[in-house]
Amino acid sequence: MKKLCTVMLLIVAVAGLASAGGQSATKTGEAPEVSVFWRVGAYAINEDNPIIMEIERRSGVKPNFLNVPWNAYAERLNLAVASGDMADITLNNGPNF
């Protein structure tokens, strides 16, 4: 679990820096936001999750998790790709679809 959290922290930080377009949190007044397309099993990631709060504190990037239900993941992912409205990060933790 610690390894997964470390990898997530690294991915969110790198994506946040890349999507920030050179704007720092001090210039805009708030942390840059990174959207994460997340396949939800029995749980969803809430903004008040202590791990998410720590990621934001350490990286200066605010992750926005798009909690997609397990059974609708393939459909929502295909729709996002077709519409060009992709998240900054797409995670797939589970069996292939």
Side-chain angles (χ1 to χ4, degrees):
M1 183 69 181
K2 186 176 181 181
K3 192 176 193 181
L4 176 64
C5 291
T6 304
V7 170
M8 284 180 58
L9 174 64
L10 181 63
I11 290 171
V12 170
V14 169
L17 294 173
S19 69
Q23 295 178 351
S24 67
T26 56
K27 286 185 179 178
T28 61
E30 58 185 50
E33 190 172 295
V34 175
S35 58
V36 182
F37 196 82
W38 177 259
R39 181 181 229 176
V40 178
Y43 59 92
I45 296 181
N46 299 319
E47 290 183 18
D48 60 350
N49 183 310
I51 294 172
I52 304 307
M53 294 166 89
E54 185 66 17
I55 289 171
E56 186 174 347
R57 186 186 71 77
R58 288 186 184 196
S59 67
V61 174
K62 179 176 178 23
N64 176 23
F65 285 87
L66 309 170
N67 297 307
V68 180
W70 191 267
N71 59 354
Y73 182 82
E75 181 182 334
R76 293 272 304 269
L77 181 60
N78 289 334
L79 182 62
V81 170
S83 68
D85 189 24
M86 287 293 297
D88 297 317
I89 300 171
T90 301
L91 296 174
N92 179 15
N93 295 357
N96 294 331
F97 54 90

